[in-house]
Amino acid sequence: MSQNESFAPQRLLVIGGGPGGYEAALVAATLGADVTLIERQGLGGSAVLTDVVPSKTLIASADTMNRFSEAPALGIRTRKGDELVELEVNMDKVNRRLLRLAAEQSKDIRRSLEKAGVKVVDGTGKLLSAHTVQVTDADGLSYELEAEAVLLAVGAHPREIPTAAPDGERILNWTQLYRLETIPEHLVVVGSGVTGAEFASAYRGLGSRVTLVSSRDRVLPGEDEDAAQVLEDVFERRGLQVMPRSRAEAVERTEDGVVVTLNDGRKVAGSHCLMAVGSIPNTADLGLEAAGVRTTESGHIAVDGVSRTTAPNVYAAGDCTGVLPLASVAAMQGRIAIAHLMGDSVSPLKSHRVASNIFTSPEIATVGVTEAEIRAGKYQADVVMLKLGTNPRAKMMAVEDGFVKIFARKYSGTVIGGVVVGPRASELIFAVSLAVHNKIHVDSFADTFTVYPSLSGSLSEAARRLHVMPG
């Protein structure tokens, strides 16, 4: 990586208005830089317009359906007079709502940027050198802009298979799902990673029949095994079919649906197919070679811990770097880049401190080291897992699926990781994330008051069970 001394630039160009780009632009403008941001799709990028915001809004609707479907355990039924009423989803209204929220969020980001003094250009940018960007704006005008520094935050797009090219009607990628006016009768999801699992869970909750095609032996390969097993058990109970060790080779349209052909010759029929087979960084035709920016074999921009590329004063953030495909990581990379560039205090990105969440039902949240790393001998740690079924608040809520798990470094007793599976795991993981970030001892964690009854009480109890008597 370039070892140039950090300096305070007079002018910064940001290419890409997703979380990595707009967060960096806001910070730089606040610190006094002259910032121009170039974005072709809309402020917020795919995270706001086609990915995180719309998908999690869709999932919120699915969660409501799931809670109603399981309400009888709480003694609640929906009636109209003496008749039980079945819930139904207005898919068109759900999608119009989520697209409206995404558009509103994008407008809010633009207002925040302009209020901070950032100049926003609707168009595309291409590097001509480490300090020169060629801009083609929305009106077709082409011109060059000079700057002391450049930040690249161009994101990624869905990977496509030539034999299963999305048509936006029956064969879809995850950016096209929001055009559906009705619930898919039978959605075949190809890909059992985070995106595939989230949409499979959501559409089953909304009422679709769902088949999940997984090339691996389980859903969520690479995630915590206990968490993946809980999710598979829930999928089975809710009637979601998982096809493990099944690789899709092609998808074809039929008169009223699709047929997915697997590499062993088996076929799966459905009304719609979602292809969730990864993403590709938007680094083609960006002028990286001309500027001296190195890419990896996968096409991602190579960066170091403070987001520097191999070109002097050219930084990169977000999915185009391949570090971790999370909006929170993109934003952090952008902020770190600006802090380093402007000579502000900076701490390099540490991936083991990143908290992440999978928005399935139940949610799966993780932070810190993994149990797989502990089993492999990379870390020496004690592990305690408590099922949520033993938690008094969970019992009151009729929650049976899920657990909390905490990892404490052996001998020192500091919290180095954890997993939460259950409702609002994305909120519960914050306490564990704080403990990991600040190297809190399990005794201090356990001695911190929690509300009774609460789901967070299980975190405290797990830490308590990791106490070691002084020798």
Side-chain angles (χ1 to χ4, degrees), residues 91 170 180 182-188 203-204 206-211 256-257 269-273:
M91 197 72 243
R170 294 283 181 173
L180 297 176
T182 59
I183 296 277
E185 181 183 343
H186 179 189
L187 179 65
V188 181
Y203 276 93
R204 184 67 193 113
L206 291 169
S208 294
R209 177 185 169 195
V210 177
T211 299
D256 58 354
S271 64
H272 298 75
C273 178

Side-chain angles (χ1 to χ4, degrees), residues 225 440 457:
E225 287 186 21
I440 292 174

Side-chain angles (χ1 to χ4, degrees), residues 127-275:
L127 290 169
L128 297 179
S129 71
H131 299 287
T132 307
V133 172
Q134 181 179 23
V135 177
T136 303
D137 70 17
D139 295 322
L141 294 174
S142 183
Y143 49 89
E144 295 178 11
L145 294 177
E146 299 282 337
E148 283 77 23
V150 177
L151 174 75
L152 307 172
V154 293
H157 62 275
R159 178 172 169 260
E160 294 183 4
I161 299 174
T163 54
D167 60 17
E169 295 177 354
R170 294 283 181 173
I171 306 171
L172 309 153
N173 62 39
W174 64 79
T175 72
Q176 299 169 329
L177 282 167
Y178 315 118
R179 302 175 189 171
L180 297 176
E181 296 179 358
T182 59
I183 296 277
E185 181 183 343
H186 179 189
L187 179 65
V188 181
V189 179
V190 176
S192 61
V194 173
T195 300
E198 286 187 346
F199 279 114
S201 177
Y203 276 93
R204 184 67 193 113
L206 291 169
S208 294
R209 177 185 169 195
V210 177
T211 299
L212 180 60
V213 178
S214 172
S215 63
R216 307 288 284 274
D217 59 353
R218 64 177 175 88
V219 299
L220 299 176
E223 298 294 333
D224 183 87
E225 287 186 21
D226 293 321
Q229 186 60 57
V230 168
L231 188 60
E232 285 199 353
D233 292 344
V234 172
F235 280 176
E236 183 178 1
R237 189 177 74 234
R238 291 177 177 166
L240 192 157
Q241 182 186 7
V242 178
M243 299 181 67
R245 296 175 294 279
S246 302
R247 186 178 295 276
E249 193 170 82
V251 183
E252 299 172 288
R253 281 195 65 162
T254 62
E255 188 176 334
D256 58 354
V258 295
V259 171
V260 180
T261 301
L262 307 181
N263 62 350
D264 60 4
R266 289 177 295 158
K267 294 180 182 290
V268 182
S271 64
H272 298 75
C273 178
L274 167 64
M275 298 299 295

